[in-house]
Amino acid sequence: MQKTSGRVLQLLGLLQARVAWTAPELAERLEVTERTVRNDINRLRELGYPVDGVRGPAGHYRLGVGAKLPPLLLDDEEAVAVAVGLRTVTGVSGFEETGTRALTKLEHVLPDRLRRQLASLRDATATGPVNTDSNVEDPAVEPAVLTEIAAAIRDHRRLRAFYRDDERVEIEPYRLVAWQRRWFVVGRDPITAVWAPYRADWLTLRVPGGGSFHPAALPGDLTELVVREVARTGWSVHARLVIDAPAEEVLARINPAVGVVEPRPDGRSVLVTGGDSLEIVAVWIGMLGMDFQVESPSELIGYLHVLAQRYARASRTW
């Protein structure tokens, strides 16, 4: 017979995996008596898991909603972080079923207030193309900030914030977008009516927030807006390059997450891209495998000159 602690955990797993179980079914799966099942059910209840029981011919056990978090050893922010991670995993090949199953189990035992936070975060979030460059350091965003933004989207409340430390902004938030391993808030300026993505890690939310608003319809495609605007404004370093190749050839070589390609009348194309440093942009351009000229920034031209000399020295034969 299994030790009591291991058996109780297995019982909890069974209750999380299916809506309802009869006592004989649980006893058969656990290879114990129905009396032992009843005792283990009581142990789960003592730990804070609400297990509902129905008597009679159609009697069964089911895990109720609103279990306390302490038995899971997760605080509120950890629970939100785990759920967001599981939500992301469900879109990864090979993890769709297991990610969804794990997320369902977690949401089933969360208190109502956290389930509402996760629901608003899930409903307010979209996912764009992903850049898997492991050399890019992921910016940190506090879970509480994402939760507050998602709640503002849900409740149609304006966000008041400092952007990039000193710029004051007010935003009618429309959607949170996970793009190139960053979080962006797509929203509308209530004064200019201009739509734009705002990097969440560059936002310092102000308290209290803004007033309520009536959501406007997003013009065009959400992902296209984010890709184009982030390519123009969302990086620390922005680059505009003339590529000696048609736009379709450039598009065939790049991940859509790294920039926007525009055709030119002379058969060449313009690539608008960027990164968090000159080094990252320079290395990535070199990997493109096409001739190009830099239109901007001038600092990138200087760094490419330094890089060219370094490569020339490295290629000498001794």
Side-chain angles (χ1 to χ4, degrees):
M1 181 178 294
Q2 301 180 65
K3 292 184 178 180
T4 301
S5 58
R7 191 180 63 244
V8 170
L9 287 175
Q10 184 179 356
L11 172 60
L12 177 60
L14 292 173
L15 292 172
Q16 291 174 332
R18 206 171 82 184
V19 174
W21 294 83
T22 66
E25 287 175 331
L26 291 172
E28 181 180 359
R29 291 292 294 269
L30 297 172
E31 298 181 348
V32 295
T33 65
E34 293 183 32
R35 180 179 179 181
T36 300
V37 169
R38 289 193 294 271
N39 291 336
D40 289 346
I41 291 290
N42 289 332
R43 291 187 178 94
L44 284 177
R45 289 168 175 163
E46 291 171 358
L47 289 172
Y49 290 93
V51 182
D52 301 327
V54 176
R55 297 179 180 274
H60 60 267
Y61 292 106
R62 62 184 302 166
L63 191 63
V65 297
K68 298 177 181 178
L69 278 181
L72 294 174
L73 301 178
L74 296 174
D75 61 27
D76 289 5
E77 290 191 353
E78 288 171 343
V80 172
V82 169
V84 170
L86 288 171
R87 177 70 176 175
T88 303
V89 166
T90 58
V92 177
S93 178
F95 290 91
E96 297 93 338
E97 182 179 351
T98 54
T100 300
R101 189 166 64 246
L103 181 59
T104 300
K105 288 181 179 180
L106 177 60
E107 290 185 340
H108 193 68
V109 298
L110 290 178
D112 182 69
R113 59 186 172 79
L114 282 188
R115 283 205 312 278
R116 281 177 51 80
Q117 288 183 14
L118 291 177
S120 64
L121 187 57
R122 179 179 61 244
D123 295 340
T125 302
T127 302
V130 176
N131 179 14
T132 57
D133 182 0
S134 60
N135 294 321
V136 180
E137 182 178 354
D138 297 336
V141 181
E142 294 293 331
V145 173
L146 295 179
T147 300
E148 177 61 25
I149 293 172
I153 293 171
R154 179 195 64 204
D155 300 335
H156 307 314
R157 287 187 288 104
R158 290 175 180 168
L159 294 172
R160 298 170 63 247
F162 292 105
Y163 193 54
R164 285 184 162 179
D165 295 331
D166 54 0
E167 180 185 356
R168 291 173 179 253
V169 295
E170 186 162 346
I171 309 165
E172 294 178 354
Y174 174 80
R175 189 74 78 238
L176 271 169
V177 178
W179 187 86
Q180 202 174 352
R181 302 198 300 187
R182 291 169 174 79
W183 287 99
F184 292 87
V185 186
V186 175
R188 178 177 176 269
D189 186 309
I191 297 177
T192 64
V194 173
W195 289 83
Y198 301 82
R199 272 181 59 162
D201 58 306
W202 290 352
L203 284 171
T204 302
L205 300 182
R206 298 166 61 193
V207 179
S212 60
F213 67 93
H214 295 289
L218 177 72
D221 178 74
L222 176 65
T223 301
E224 182 180 349
L225 169 69
V226 174
V227 170
R228 181 170 295 276
E229 289 301 308
V230 170
R232 186 174 63 85
T233 63
W235 285 299
S236 299
V237 176
H238 301 93
R240 184 176 175 88
L241 314 167
V242 178
I243 311 297
D244 294 342
E248 57 270 18
E249 291 186 19
V250 179
L251 287 169
R253 286 176 175 258
I254 70 170
N255 185 318
V258 299
V260 176
V261 181
E262 303 169 354
R264 284 172 50 118
D266 61 5
R268 296 185 295 171
S269 56
V270 172
L271 173 62
V272 182
T273 186
D276 283 344
S277 69
L278 288 172
E279 292 85 350
I280 291 174
V281 175
V283 170
W284 183 81
I285 294 171
M287 295 172 62
L288 187 60
M290 294 178 168
D291 291 338
F292 63 91
Q293 294 82 45
V294 177
E295 284 195 353
S296 64
S298 58
E299 295 84 359
L300 179 59
I301 298 174
Y303 183 76
L304 288 174
H305 181 67
V306 172
L307 199 60
Q309 291 180 322
R310 183 176 300 150
Y311 284 168
R313 289 192 298 269
S315 62
R316 293 173 185 166
T317 57
W318 302 93

